[in-house]
Amino acid sequence: MSSILSNVLLAPEDPVLSVIFACRDDPCPIKLNLSAGAYRNEEGKPLVLEVVRRAEQQLANDMSCDKGYLPIDGLADFNKLGAKLILGDDSHALKENRVVTFQCLSGTGSLRVGAEFLAKHHQQSVIYVPNPTWGNHPSIFTLAGLSVEYFRYYDPQTRGLDFEGMLEDLGAAPSGAIVVLQACAHNPTGTDPTLEQWEQIRQIVRSKGLLPFFDNAYQGFASGSLDSDAQSVRMFVADGGECLIAQSFAKNMGLYGERIGALTIVCTSEDVARKVHGQLLLVVRPMYLTPPIHGASIVTTILKNSDMYKDWTIELKGMADRIISMRQQLYEAIQARGTPGDWSHIIKQIGMFSFTGLNEKQVRWMAKEYHIYMTYDGRISMAGLSSKTVPQLADAIHAAITCIP
C-alpha cells in the first residue's frame, strides 16, 4: 500500500533534544545531565515538595471533588490567586477589575495563547525577544503568526548584561511592537537587570509605546522571595499601562508534569478587560477547549491555606538556596584548580541556569571525554548539580579550557 504521508520530511535536529537524547543513550554510569531545566535534589532525583504531597492527600480525601470539565478560562480560584501572587496583594489593577487571567498549559501554553491573541488583535505583528533567549520562544511566536526580531541582551565579553545595547535596540523598535521580557532568572544567561535598570527599561518601553510580554517562569526560584522576584512585573503594572504575563508553577512548586500556568493580561480599564476575556475564550476553545484540573487544584489548595502557603515559601527558599550554594561551590572548585579566566560570572548570575562561556567545541568534547552534557551554547542547569558532582564538572571545565581552544 502506498503511503499517504510519504512526503513528510525528516525533522531538523533540535539542539536541546539532541543533547538530552545523547545523554539518555550514554551507558556511562557517571554521566551528568546539566541540559534539562528541572530541579534535582542532592541525590540527583526529582523533588516532590512535601506541601504538594499534603495538598494532593487533602484533595484525594475530599469526596466533593470531581473530574468534570473546567470552564474554558480555567479554575476561578486558581486564576484569582495566581494573579494575586504575581501582581501583589495591593495591586490597583486587580482592585479596579482590569485584569484578565486564563489558566493555561504551564508557561509554554500561556505564551502560545497570548501570542495567538496578539496575532489576531494587536496592530503590530513584530515581537522582540532577547538575544539570547529560551530556545522555544521563537518557535512559539512564529507559529502563532508573529514576526520575531531580537534585541541585544547578553555581552559575551563581560558575561553580563549588555544594557546599553538593550536600550538602544528597544529605542529603535517600531511603536506598538511587542517586547518579551523575562521577569527574573533569565534563561539561558542567568543575567538579570538591576531594579534601577528595570526602571530605565520601563521608561523606554512606555515612551516608545511598546507592549511588554513577561515570561514569569521562575518567581521565587531566583532569589528565594516571591515578592522580590515579582518586582520587575509590578513596576510595569503600577504605571497603569498594559502588559501580558505568562506564569508557570512548574519550577516554583515542582509541578513540571502537571502543566499548570496562567496567562494574565493587565488592561487599562474594566471595559477593555471584558472584551479581552471574550476574545481569549475564542482563542482557547478551538485550541484545547478547557485546561486540566489536577494541577490547578494543587496550586489553589496551597495558595488558599495560610499554613500551606508558609510551608511552600520555606521549601521554595530551600530550593533557591541550594542552587545558590551550587554556584558558590562550583566557583570555588574552579578557582582551586587554577582554571584560566575570570569565573566570577558563575556567582553573579542568578536562577536555575548559568551561561558558562564554554564554546560548542568544548561542550562536545566534555560530553565525549567526561560524559557531561549541556546545551551547545554552554548553558548548564545549576539545579542539576550536587556537592558530589561539582568536582566532576570543575575537572571537566578545567580540562576543556586548557586543552580545547
Side-chain angles (χ1 to χ4, degrees):
M1 182 181 295
S2 61
S3 172
I4 298 173
L5 304 178
S6 59
N7 291 328
V8 175
L9 300 176
L10 187 68
E13 181 182 78
D14 183 287
V16 176
L17 293 180
S18 65
V19 173
I20 293 172
F21 295 154
C23 183
R24 179 197 64 189
D25 297 337
D26 185 345
C28 179
I30 61 166
K31 65 184 177 182
L32 182 58
N33 183 7
L34 300 177
S35 63
Y39 184 85
R40 297 290 183 264
N41 62 17
E42 268 292 308
E43 286 69 49
K45 303 295 184 183
L47 177 68
V48 180
L49 301 187
E50 287 301 318
V51 71
V52 167
R53 292 196 184 279
R54 282 164 51 203
E56 287 191 302
Q57 191 61 58
Q58 182 175 311
L59 290 167
N61 293 337
D62 185 352
M63 292 298 105
S64 69
C65 291
D66 60 45
K67 299 296 182 182
Y69 285 124
L70 286 176
I72 293 174
D73 58 0
L75 189 64
D77 281 349
F78 166 80
N79 290 339
K80 179 181 177 182
L81 294 165
K84 187 178 175 183
L85 186 72
I86 182 60
L87 300 182
D89 294 342
D90 57 351
S91 170
H92 289 294
L94 284 172
K95 292 175 183 176
E96 294 162 7
N97 296 316
R98 50 187 179 88
V99 175
V100 179
T101 300
F102 269 57
Q103 179 191 334
C104 294
L105 306 181
S106 202
T108 304
S110 303
L111 289 164
R112 183 59 185 268
V113 170
E116 294 275 353
F117 168 79
L118 291 171
K120 289 180 173 68
H121 301 288
H122 188 52
Q123 74 274 15
Q124 178 62 264
S125 64
V126 176
I127 185 165
Y128 283 77
V129 301
N131 184 18
T133 193
W134 179 42
N136 221 10
H137 277 155
S139 297
I140 291 169
F141 299 129
T142 299
L143 289 171
L146 298 173
S147 177
V148 175
E149 300 286 348
Y150 292 85
F151 62 85
R152 280 171 284 177
Y153 188 86
Y154 180 76
D155 183 348
Q157 298 303 314
T158 64
R159 296 178 183 174
L161 184 67
D162 183 359
F163 187 58
E164 289 185 7
M166 180 182 185
L167 292 186
E168 186 178 331
D169 289 349
L170 292 180
S175 177
I178 308 152
V179 178
V180 174
L181 300 168
Q182 295 190 35
C184 65
H186 181 271
N187 177 3
T189 69
T191 300
D192 288 350
T194 64
L195 282 180
E196 292 75 17
Q197 289 171 330
W198 271 118
E199 174 56 22
Q200 292 183 63
I201 294 166
R202 186 197 66 80
Q203 290 177 13
I204 200 164
V205 165
R206 293 310 193 196
S207 66
K208 287 287 297 182
L210 308 178
L211 179 61
F213 193 163
F214 283 95
D215 188 351
N216 181 49
Y218 302 99
Q219 186 182 355
F221 210 76
S223 68
S225 166
L226 290 159
D227 289 326
S228 293
D229 290 351
Q231 285 179 295
S232 60
V233 174
R234 293 176 187 177
M235 190 181 294
F236 278 76
V237 175
D239 68 16
E242 295 169 319
C243 66
L244 290 82
I245 307 155
Q247 193 174 7
S248 169
F249 289 92
K251 309 300 192 298
N252 57 18
M253 281 197 185
L255 298 174
Y256 301 92
E258 298 295 348
R259 311 312 296 142
I260 179 62
L263 172 69
T264 289
I265 302 182
V266 179
C267 306
T268 53
S269 70
E270 186 174 356
D271 182 58
V272 173
R274 180 178 55 81
K275 294 173 183 175
V276 167
H277 184 274
Q279 291 294 345
L280 281 173
L281 292 174
L282 300 183
V283 172
V284 170
R285 189 169 185 267
M287 189 184 290
Y288 55 82
L289 188 59
T290 71
I293 195 169
H294 190 62
S297 300
I298 294 171
V299 174
T300 303
T301 300
I302 293 169
L303 296 184
K304 283 177 75 172
N305 183 296
S306 59
D307 289 336
M308 283 189 175
Y309 181 89
K310 181 181 178 182
D311 290 343
W312 171 49
T313 62
I314 293 170
E315 289 194 80
L316 176 56
K317 190 172 189 310
M319 289 191 288
D321 286 349
R322 197 187 83 78
I323 292 173
I324 292 169
S325 172
M326 289 302 101
R327 288 186 179 279
Q328 188 65 40
Q329 289 183 41
L330 179 60
Y331 173 70
E332 291 174 358
I334 291 173
Q335 291 294 100
R337 284 156 178 76
T339 305
D342 179 4
W343 294 89
S344 61
H345 59 283
I346 289 177
I347 50 176
K348 290 176 182 175
Q349 294 167 357
I350 193 169
M352 178 173 280
F353 298 109
S354 179
F355 228 34
T356 61
L358 296 166
N359 61 43
E360 182 174 342
K361 189 176 180 182
Q362 291 165 334
V363 168
R364 290 182 181 275
W365 183 84
M366 286 170 62
K368 180 181 179 182
E369 299 297 328
Y370 283 82
H371 306 278
I372 296 175
Y373 294 85
M374 65 189 76
T375 55
Y376 297 137
D377 57 9
R379 185 199 77 175
I380 60 173
S381 172
M382 300 303 300
L385 276 177
S386 70
S387 298
K388 299 174 185 175
T389 56
V390 162
Q392 180 185 353
L393 176 60
D395 286 342
I397 289 175
H398 181 79
I401 291 295
T402 54
C403 296
I404 307 296

